[in-house]
Amino acid sequence: MTTYTPTVDDYRYLLENHPERFASSHDASTVLRQIGGRDAPNDDYRLGVIEQNYLAGGNEALAYSPIPIPDLDGDGVFDPAFAVACPVCEAGQPCCFKGGTITDSDNGTRKLHWPPQNNQTRMLVIAAEMEGNHLVGKVDVAWEGQNCQVNRSGVPNIQTANLADGTRSISAKSKEVSIGDAQGFNTVLALRNYVPEEVLYALFAFDAIMALGRARRGMPEGRFEPFQCVTDGPMATSLSVMAVPMARLSGKVELATRISFTTGGVSAAAEAKGNLSGQYGNITFEAKGKAGGTTSTGSALQSDDDKNAPGLIGTMASIIERLDHYVAVGNTQDRRRYDLGQFASGLTLTKALVFDTTGFLLMSKGNSPDLSLRIGTMTSTLSLGVSGRIDFIDALAMMFTGPGAQAIRRARSLMARGEHVNGRLDAYLELAATGTLTHSVDSGATITIPAVGDMAAAFAGITQTFGGALRLRAIVAIGIHLEAKVWVFHAKAGAAASAHTSWTWEMRMHEGRRQKKYKFEGVVITLRAYVDAGISTESGGFGEDVVRFAGEVELEENAADLYDQVASEIHDSDQDSRMMQRLRAMAPYDTGTESWPIFRPEETQWEDY
């Protein structure tokens, strides 16, 4: 068998037309420039470097030149010299590749063709098997024709991209291949301390399908393109296949979860009951069970991807991550790993979720490249409660630069080391929450998920309601007394002028799309009074500011009936939140001139849910 030796022009052609095939197209381009112009002699060493770069991109060694034989007179048909060499080929026709198909391995009626029929060039298949860490769907690729009549090894073939096993070309006339993506359960795994894993799979399945329009932009497509010496346009068409995870759901689940955040760690307990069952990808599940776990403060979730997941999972992850973040950054020096006793910061997040669906099933559509989605009914309700406080004395000590700032930082450092200080440092947010997110679908319809066109538009005809807001409100309390020094601070939200602030997760339907938005007002402080004299805590208004000081926070343990406990705490949190809202309306406005931001405001734009 003759071994082909690639030339500099071969790699230059690949770099110009298929740069993605190199491990580093930048490095390959640099080496090519070192070799010289197009007519420069080959440099064996540098060609070897480029070859290793090409192989590192997941390719096999070149068995023939990738450069198509040129059409010398530009008329789109065979040139006389080539016709002499290949007398069996017909002018104006593909030379060796006569036709082919890509067929869904699970349904032989679903096909793409070369040349394309009815302008169909993309097909959706259902992914329900695992190969390595890829969730895949499978297709059979077949073509008709003859081997190259001028003995080009491996020609014709089908050039491929984004296949699960990294295959770059298919020479066999029939082969089954897999298309898919790495299984995307990072957020599910990150939240399994806080929500039973099987419930997460159910929520993930529903929201992943409902968010197909957004997800499609990041999903890989397997691509297939014939390669031969001379071809016509239709026979050279690139066809593509996208694998969509299998999804089916039916039943009802009720979830109760309590998460305690302290400067010493995060502790969670959750329980789910009901009869919800289904499948997502290759995983079948029954959405019930218990969850629980402990982690360090500031590490409740490990990455930004965890809080950016679609739907309910992303919302729950965002709330957990934000609360964990502010507990962590507000008080940094008292943290003792996994010791969940009494701490300066401590709050409990309670969540109740009811999710009920019937007739939710993704199916392939016979004699079509599209998929079908049957949607019966679905209702989900997520309610939220919060109690406790977030201490931010360290953040204040770091950001405050006014009179006596050094004394505050020195005292905080001594207290963190366990040394006695004659005085007290208090700066915290007292929290409560209110609000509900609701989503309901009453369809009973079967809709088409198109292989070509806007997937999101397919959901426009579904009757659904979606909206609500989850709002965490907080009153800011600050008072510092060190020996004969007294500081009287006033706090305000970044976007308001009272001693209150809030976090809000808001949802809406807009032009047929589910959307979300997050906002935190921030916290700013101003100094109302600073006295360096023999002043008592009962004089000069300082007593007003310390009236809410509560010492070290104590959190309630989980009750035997978690569902009743969560329901009761959500009710109490709602009542406290309403009281905070009334107090906010009556709060005096700040008149200070110099301010120090403790927590800066945060706000996102409306984006797909």
Side-chain angles (χ1 to χ4, degrees), residues 394-411:
D394 284 330
L396 184 149
M398 180 176 65
M399 300 301 297
F400 176 58
T401 58
Q406 187 61 37
I408 295 175
R409 282 191 281 273
R410 184 168 57 250

Side-chain angles (χ1 to χ4, degrees), residues 74-157:
D75 62 1
V77 300
F78 286 113
D79 299 296
F82 187 82
V84 171
C86 189
V88 298
C89 297
E90 300 179 27
Q93 298 294 322
C95 60
C96 300
F97 189 95
K98 303 297 185 181
T101 58
I102 300 176
T103 305
D104 185 344
S105 296
D106 292 328
N107 187 333
T109 70
R110 310 184 69 236
K111 295 183 179 183
L112 298 177
H113 297 263
W114 285 291
Q117 297 181 5
N118 301 319
N119 295 318
Q120 294 176 351
T121 59
R122 178 185 283 116
M123 180 166 62
L124 304 178
V125 297
I126 292 179
E129 298 182 39
M130 289 296 293
E131 286 187 0
N133 68 334
H134 284 71
L135 178 65
V136 302
K138 297 184 176 182
V139 294
D140 295 306
V141 181
W143 60 274
E144 299 175 353
Q146 58 192 357
N147 293 332
C148 179
Q149 299 302 295
V150 292
N151 297 319
R152 299 184 74 194
S153 177
V155 179
N157 63 62

Side-chain angles (χ1 to χ4, degrees), residues 376-398:
T377 62
M378 189 286 300
T379 59
S380 72
T381 303
L382 175 65
S383 302
L384 189 70
V386 171
S387 62
R389 74 190 194 198
I390 295 177
D391 180 90
F392 61 89
I393 188 61
D394 284 330
L396 184 149
M398 180 176 65

